[in-house]
Amino acid sequence: MKTGTAIKAGPEPDAIAISPNGATAYVADFSSGGMTPVNLKTRVPLKGIAVGGGPAGIAISATGSMAYVVDVNGDKLVAVDLATDRVAFQVAVGSKPDAIAITPDGKFAYVTNFGSNSVTPVNLSTRRAMKALTVGSEPNAVAITPNGVTALVANFGSGTVTAIAVADGHVSPPVRVGADPTGVAVLSNGTTAYVSSFRDDDVVP
């Protein structure tokens, strides 16, 4: 594997998501308060889209019609209509949100609130936040299983992963993983999740 030529984005790019058709990358630029679309065929960055004070996590809907960006400084989820490049709506979440995942059916977003040790489910149809769910300390990553049944949350401060049942919001007891987990990903068949441990320099299945 080798790297290609770097593509210019905004200042301090914090997160990236690719459109379902693979045509565009969307980069959350933390310091600019914006999101930079990048045409992946031409490798040219397009005009930035203002989303809020501190864009961190980002996710694209399965239809490719919406981008959802968490604003860590504004404590909110910002939804951008990608047909118009305009903010469609905003939803207040918890303190210092920094990661987001969308359920496969596109109905709900799960936002980790690093500053309030919780996850806020957001109903994307009604555009309303649901009751925040207490998880481990300093949650900073989240993934949804491919069947849409479970949200898995990596808790940086407590070295654990918390499973949340999407159907009823039941929070299972946390499972110990490595020190300072910073990322979680699930195999396409849903059998195994992998968690990166920042301090241990390893990945825990």
Side-chain angles (χ1 to χ4, degrees):
M1 184 175 67
K2 63 180 181 179
T3 61
T5 303
I7 302 170
K8 188 68 175 178
E12 296 188 339
D14 195 299
I16 185 171
I18 308 295
S19 62
N21 64 6
T24 309
Y26 294 90
V27 183
D29 302 315
F30 185 82
S31 290
S32 73
M35 176 177 70
T36 300
V38 177
N39 184 314
L40 294 179
K41 183 177 181 179
T42 64
R43 303 174 62 84
V44 173
L46 307 175
K47 182 180 179 181
I49 303 167
V51 294
I58 184 171
I60 308 298
S61 66
T63 62
S65 61
M66 301 288 288
Y68 299 99
V69 184
V70 290
D71 176 5
V72 67
N73 292 334
D75 296 341
K76 60 189 177 183
L77 167 64
V78 181
V80 178
D81 185 334
L82 296 179
T84 63
D85 290 345
R86 295 180 180 273
V87 172
F89 62 91
Q90 303 179 41
V91 179
V93 291
S95 172
K96 297 192 180 303
D98 69 347
I100 181 173
I102 309 296
T103 55
D105 61 11
K107 293 181 178 180
F108 298 95
Y110 282 75
V111 178
T112 62
N113 303 309
F114 189 87
S116 54
N117 302 332
S118 66
V119 170
T120 300
V122 177
N123 186 317
L124 298 176
S125 298
T126 63
R127 303 181 177 184
R128 292 179 178 272
M130 302 165 67
K131 181 181 178 181
L133 306 170
T134 301
V135 291
S137 174
E138 298 178 337
N140 71 335
V142 57
I144 311 292
T145 55
N147 61 7
V149 171
T150 307
L152 297 172
V153 181
N155 305 301
F156 180 85
S158 56
T160 60
V161 168
T162 300
I164 300 171
V166 171
D168 60 8
H170 174 74
V171 179
S172 296
V175 176
R176 177 69 59 178
V177 289
D180 300 344
T182 55
V184 57
V186 184
L187 289 179
S188 59
N189 63 12
T191 59
T192 307
Y194 291 85
V195 182
S196 59
S197 297
F198 183 82
R199 186 146 41 105
D200 288 342
D201 299 333
D202 61 17
V203 174
V204 180

